[in-house]
Amino acid sequence: LLFLWSITVSIFGIGGILGSSGSRYLTVKFGKKKCLLCNNVLMIVAATIMGCSKISQSFEMILIGRFMCGLSAGLCVPLHHQYVGEISPKKLRGFANSTSSFFWSLGKAVGQIAGQRELLGSQSRWPMLMASCGVPALIQLVTLPFFPESPPYLLMQKEDQEGCKKAIRQLWGEGQHQAEIDDIMKEKATMKNTKILSVLELVKEPAFRWQLYMTVVLTATIQLCGINAV
């Protein structure tokens, strides 16, 4: 039982590693909006499987659902940052990117509160708690089709200049947006001359050593804050 409980908890992280590892390939091939939509479907399926586990009397369904939730979360974290940052006006880009951390922490807090025995953590209502992760995914699945694809993706990957202009006008309103388009073109030209490093090459690269140290320390500190123990 202890082994099964440990696997149930940790399999979320295994799914997260796999999801985040495949995010770059998927975003380049299919675009950020399509990936987010498919990711929402994955989360809803995972929530449904976990929500039906008690009726089916199957702990294996919780294992599968937790793994799929981790896979979805691993895909979502880099996708969310990229999409929100790319569709935001330049002056609001930093603020828009910082909101993800706020809502990530808020989601954990709401989950901890909802998991109390007085709310959804009781013996009869815990399947509802496990299935609740599908609610925000459903909201995004319904609302995201009204948003355009990321303008940088349309211009840099698809080379669709008209589509990029249309997306920018839809997001930022009518007006002169040539400066933003020129910035995207400059970024595209820069990326052509920049080598994409693998994880091993990144670790070995002296120029990124201190940034890497900082990221590792921050991530380790988050893991030591007690959220996993709770």
Side-chain angles (χ1 to χ4, degrees), residues 40-197:
N40 292 326
V41 174
L42 180 65
M43 181 62 84
I44 291 168
V45 172
T48 305
I49 290 172
M50 290 190 294
C52 296
S53 59
K54 187 178 181 181
I55 299 172
S56 306
Q57 295 184 338
S58 170
F59 73 88
E60 293 90 350
M61 291 176 71
I62 300 177
L63 280 168
I64 294 167
R66 286 275 298 171
F67 175 76
M68 291 174 68
C69 274
L71 198 65
S72 177
L75 280 167
C76 180
V77 172
L79 278 174
H80 174 86
H81 279 287
Q82 292 172 32
Y83 185 70
V84 171
E86 289 176 4
I87 67 171
S88 303
K90 201 169 185 178
K91 60 182 179 181
L92 296 175
R93 200 161 292 163
F95 170 77
N97 276 325
S98 66
T99 57
S100 60
S101 301
F102 169 77
F103 283 112
W104 188 265
S105 302
L106 182 63
K108 287 182 178 180
V110 170
Q112 294 298 329
I113 294 167
Q116 298 300 310
R117 288 187 177 88
E118 293 79 7
L119 297 174
L120 296 179
S122 65
Q123 191 170 354
S124 59
R125 292 192 292 264
W126 66 261
M128 294 170 59
L129 178 67
M130 299 203 77
S132 64
C133 60
V135 175
L138 181 62
I139 293 170
Q140 191 178 65
L141 185 64
V142 173
T143 56
L144 194 59
F146 296 99
F147 287 77
E149 181 55 89
S150 158
Y153 172 78
L154 291 170
L155 191 59
M156 295 169 66
Q157 304 296 334
K158 294 293 185 181
E159 297 184 351
D160 182 3
Q161 192 160 349
E162 285 305 314
C164 175
K165 289 178 180 178
K166 184 180 177 182
I168 287 175
R169 284 195 296 270
Q170 185 179 344
L171 289 164
W172 306 339
E174 297 294 335
Q176 294 296 323
H177 301 295
Q178 190 58 45
E180 286 83 357
I181 294 172
D182 290 341
D183 285 342
I184 297 171
M185 293 300 293
K186 286 177 185 176
E187 185 180 348
K188 182 180 179 181
T190 304
M191 286 183 68
K192 281 185 177 178
N193 301 320
T194 304
K195 182 187 175 185
I196 303 297
L197 299 177

Side-chain angles (χ1 to χ4, degrees), residues 22-33:
S23 62
R24 180 178 174 272
Y25 168 77
L26 293 172
T27 51
V28 170
K29 188 170 180 63
F30 301 108
K32 296 169 182 68
K33 180 183 170 181

